[in-house]
Amino acid sequence: MEFKSGFVALIGIPNVGKSTLINALLKKKVSIVTPKPQTTRNKIIGVYNTPDRQIIFVDTPGIHKSKNTLDKYMNKSIDSAVVDVNLILLVVDATKVIYEQITTALKKVNVKKVPTFLVVNKVDETTIDKIYPQIDKVKDVYNFKEIVFISAKKRQNLNVLLELIDPYLTDSIKYYQDEDLQSKKNDEFLISEIIREKALYLIREEIPHGIGVKVDKMERANNMLNIYATIYCNKSSHKSIIIGKNGQMLKNIGQRARQELEKIFNTKIYMELWVKVKENWKDSNSLLNELGFNSDEL
């Protein structure tokens, strides 16, 4: 059987479910998911492998206005993600106005040179009667190669999506040789993202995305993985919230992160977390590079 491969980029406004979709397709967490928009900051590369197919999925941050250096990195990562890909999946939220989501995305990202699917996510949270009238309007905006209705959360129609992607896999190169490889990012990045996910989920709206996580040290000893990491925030008041009364919030963040990472790495984990205040860290090139936002890679 002929081997086929290709690159597929996911774009869309924040919180439409791009990361959930990639995780569902790969059946493994490679991108963090929280109820907050702007969760994904780096390009996440997930590799879907079968004996005769390899699809390299590139997730991107939600399309938004640049307010600081971090935002510029994020928007630049979107631009670089859609260069030289075989296909773009423009993901929208079926529970919101689809037309507005598409026009917002197309103002920021030029998809004219690349075949593009419209992927309507979260169809399980609404009705067909509400979706279809919007789709007629959408056809006047852009000539999508396919319009696919899915629920990433409930894994509905994902096989259909994969089948529709197949004809666009025009390469015959196996870009990643390791059959078990599903994420290009290293372990430290995954760990920092899991910690950040748990913090964002638990803290909710009190500290809107004003945190970054850096793994300071990792070591294996006595059949255990020891992880030491720092959570960076903008203000002393934010630090107090992250730590919580008697350190309970920080303890909860660490506990949830540790439990999930133990399943991922299949080993016992010891974790120590610290919280440091770094004002305007989103504009600090040196700290952003330490946190993995290297503009040279974009």
Side-chain angles (χ1 to χ4, degrees):
M1 188 177 293
E2 180 188 6
F3 184 84
K4 296 173 67 177
S5 63
F7 289 78
V8 178
L10 282 75
I11 66 170
I13 67 171
N15 219 28
V16 295
K18 301 186 303 299
S19 297
T20 302
L21 176 55
I22 280 194
N23 291 337
L25 287 167
L26 301 183
K27 299 179 182 178
K28 179 179 181 181
K29 177 170 284 191
V30 292
S31 189
I32 72 172
V33 181
T34 77
K36 293 187 176 184
Q38 290 307 338
T39 300
T40 305
R41 287 177 174 167
N42 298 53
K43 293 178 294 182
I44 307 293
I45 299 181
V47 183
Y48 176 88
N49 276 314
T50 68
D52 58 345
R53 296 289 183 272
Q54 186 173 83
I55 308 173
I56 299 93
F57 288 102
V58 184
D59 190 12
T60 61
I63 295 164
H64 64 295
K65 294 181 180 179
S66 298
K67 297 177 182 177
N68 49 54
T69 304
L70 174 58
D71 287 346
K72 291 177 183 177
Y73 282 0
M74 291 165 69
N75 281 332
K76 194 174 180 182
S77 77
I78 299 171
D79 295 337
S80 65
V82 299
V83 174
D84 295 328
V85 296
N86 300 70
L87 181 69
I88 293 173
L89 305 182
L90 173 49
V91 185
V92 296
D93 183 342
T95 68
K96 299 176 181 177
V97 181
I98 294 173
Y99 178 85
E100 290 180 1
Q101 296 174 69
I102 294 171
T103 54
T104 298
L106 295 182
K107 284 178 183 177
K108 294 288 185 178
V109 184
N110 183 6
V111 300
K112 292 181 179 179
K113 296 181 180 181
V114 183
T116 303
F117 288 3
L118 176 64
V119 179
V120 183
N121 190 25
K122 306 185 184 182
V123 295
D124 57 306
E125 299 178 23
T126 183
T127 63
I128 294 297
D129 291 341
K130 292 181 179 179
I131 297 174
Y132 273 122
Q134 297 194 67
I135 297 303
D136 289 334
K137 191 175 183 180
V138 160
K139 291 176 182 177
D140 296 331
V141 180
Y142 187 82
N143 183 26
F144 294 101
K145 297 295 183 183
E146 300 283 353
I147 299 177
V148 192
F149 302 92
I150 69 161
S151 169
K153 188 176 180 180
K154 294 193 174 181
R155 304 186 56 79
Q156 294 175 358
N157 257 12
L158 298 191
N159 287 338
V160 172
L161 177 60
L162 288 169
E163 289 173 8
L164 291 170
I165 289 172
D166 192 74
Y168 295 88
L169 304 177
T170 57
D171 303 343
S172 57
I173 300 170
K174 192 169 187 179
Y175 290 95
Y176 297 96
Q177 300 301 318
D178 185 351
E179 292 291 344
D180 295 324
L181 176 66
Q182 284 188 307
S183 177
K184 184 184 174 185
K185 295 292 183 180
N186 61 27
D187 290 345
E188 287 190 6
F189 175 79
L190 177 60
I191 291 167
S192 67
E193 287 290 272
I194 296 294
I195 295 170
R196 191 163 66 90
E197 175 188 66
K198 303 312 175 189
L200 289 173
Y201 184 83
L202 288 169
I203 296 166
R204 300 287 183 170
E205 300 303 323
E206 294 179 88
I207 306 176
H209 296 277
I211 62 170
V213 179
K214 178 178 180 291
V215 175
D216 301 304
K217 185 179 179 182
M218 281 177 57
E219 60 182 12
R220 291 185 180 273
N222 300 321
N223 296 318
M224 181 176 286
L225 178 59
N226 299 319
I227 298 171
Y228 306 87
T230 301
I231 300 174
Y232 288 94
C233 59
N234 286 318
K235 302 176 182 178
S236 296
S237 58
H238 290 177
K239 180 178 179 178
S240 299
I241 293 171
I242 296 169
I243 294 174
K245 187 177 181 180
N246 298 323
Q248 191 58 48
M249 178 60 76
L250 189 61
K251 181 179 179 181
N252 290 343
I253 293 169
Q255 184 178 45
R256 292 199 181 198
R258 179 178 54 77
Q259 288 172 346
E260 181 159 343
L261 289 167
E262 284 182 343
K263 294 176 183 177
I264 293 172
F265 289 101
N266 194 29
T267 187
K268 285 289 184 182
I269 287 176
Y270 169 78
M271 180 179 292
E272 283 191 16
L273 297 178
W274 290 271
V275 183
K276 291 184 179 180
V277 177
K278 178 75 173 178
E279 292 185 9
N280 301 319
W281 69 267
K282 292 182 181 180
D283 283 313
S284 170
N285 283 300
S286 59
L287 182 55
L288 287 171
N289 285 336
E290 286 184 37
L291 295 175
F293 304 103
N294 189 341
S295 58
D296 293 337
E297 295 179 359
L298 301 180

